[in-house]
Amino acid sequence: MPEIQSYMRSLRRSHEARTRADRPSSFTLRGREWDLLDDVFAPIYSPSTGVALDFLGWSEPVEVPRSGSFLEVGCGTGVIAVTAALAGCDRVVATDINPQAAANARLNASRHGVAERFRAVQGDLFEAVPAEERFDLVFWSSNYVLAPSGYQYRSMHERAYVDTGYAAHRRFLDQATGWLAPGGAALLHFSSRGDLAELRRAADETGRDLRELRRVVVQEGQDEVDHMLLQVLAA
């Protein structure tokens, strides 16, 4: 396994980001100020949130609606979901397994004046989303590092960095398209820190195709990391 894909390395990154003495209670990203609660993924220590914002840049080849509905899985601080509301989406739902993340997203929705069309809920993937709801866009900037299936998480924060046995990825692949409105799209932000071959095997096993829409190489410290935007399609 390449060092860049080491789950132990990602767990160290999680621990350092969560416990560092200079971790702030707010941060600036893309010209806006955002609240940051304890034990929530901090976008200032990883470029992935910024890359996701670029991927969802309201331009071709990804037709992200300026209106309509948006569901973000694994919302963290809520930067992406709140930005979707600011960009014009009229119904935004953000969900995260970490209750602090859901609370953090609500804080940022209020901070930026979009709380009336924004809802943040706590749950694992789609479990807290009412079964009847459908969305024009479902998006997950995932915890793409593969950890062994027997690994036991030591904190909620680690769940933002690694996925044990790709269990969450398999469920996302299996379920995401079922939450789409007619003409909607299910998108997954993945990277070369993850195991793309294993993800494609999971897609095959769940009857899904993965279409790469965008790719960008980002220098992350000593690492060159390929970030990619994948569309999940029914096979």
Side-chain angles (χ1 to χ4, degrees):
M1 173 186 293
E3 176 66 12
I4 195 174
Q5 294 181 344
S6 167
Y7 81 97
M8 291 299 295
R9 187 181 180 196
S10 286
L11 291 174
R12 288 193 297 271
R13 293 175 68 229
S14 168
H15 177 74
E16 291 165 2
R18 184 169 67 94
T19 61
R20 54 189 295 164
D22 61 347
R23 180 182 166 100
S25 60
S26 66
F27 62 95
T28 301
L29 183 64
R30 301 300 170 90
R32 294 188 174 101
E33 190 76 8
W34 306 91
D35 289 302
L36 175 62
L37 297 182
D38 294 341
D39 216 25
V40 177
F41 178 86
I44 52 174
Y45 302 134
S46 168
S48 59
T49 302
V51 172
L53 289 172
D54 290 339
F55 279 156
L56 301 177
W58 324 114
S59 61
E60 297 290 339
V62 184
E63 295 182 357
V64 179
R66 288 185 179 273
S67 60
S69 51
F70 180 91
L71 169 63
E72 185 187 11
V73 173
C75 65
T77 56
V79 168
I80 295 168
V82 170
T83 300
L86 289 168
C89 290
D90 49 33
R91 179 168 59 93
V92 176
V93 177
T95 180
D96 202 295
I97 194 170
N98 183 350
Q100 281 230 64
N104 205 153
R106 286 191 288 270
L107 280 175
N108 282 318
S110 295
R111 174 188 275 269
H112 293 289
V114 295
E116 75 283 352
R117 48 201 167 91
F118 184 98
R119 189 168 85 253
V121 295
Q122 186 269 323
D124 188 3
L125 294 180
F126 304 101
E127 70 175 12
V129 183
E132 70 276 7
E133 290 202 50
R134 296 295 181 269
F135 300 89
D136 297 306
L137 182 67
V138 173
F139 177 73
W140 184 25
S141 184
S142 77
N143 52 347
Y144 30 68
V145 178
L146 174 62
S149 57
Y151 179 73
Q152 298 294 314
Y153 294 108
R154 295 171 296 179
S155 70
M156 276 290 183
H157 196 271
E158 289 187 345
R159 292 178 180 270
Y161 281 77
V162 305
D163 181 15
T164 57
Y166 273 0
H169 283 79
R170 288 175 182 273
R171 284 184 288 119
F172 182 83
L173 293 172
D174 183 49
Q175 299 171 19
T177 58
W179 294 91
L180 296 178
L187 303 181
L188 174 67
H189 172 198
F190 199 73
S191 93
S192 56
R193 291 191 186 277
D195 188 330
L196 184 58
E198 184 62 29
L199 182 73
R200 291 196 179 279
R201 278 192 289 272
D204 288 342
E205 291 168 5
T206 55
R208 299 291 181 260
D209 285 334
L210 295 175
R211 176 186 297 165
E212 184 176 313
L213 300 178
R214 288 185 177 177
R215 181 182 289 251
V216 64
V217 178
V218 178
Q219 191 70 38
E220 302 183 20
Q222 300 300 310
D223 300 322
E224 280 193 351
V225 181
D226 280 16
H227 288 259
M228 59 207 81
L229 184 65
L230 306 173
Q231 184 173 4
V232 181
L233 300 162

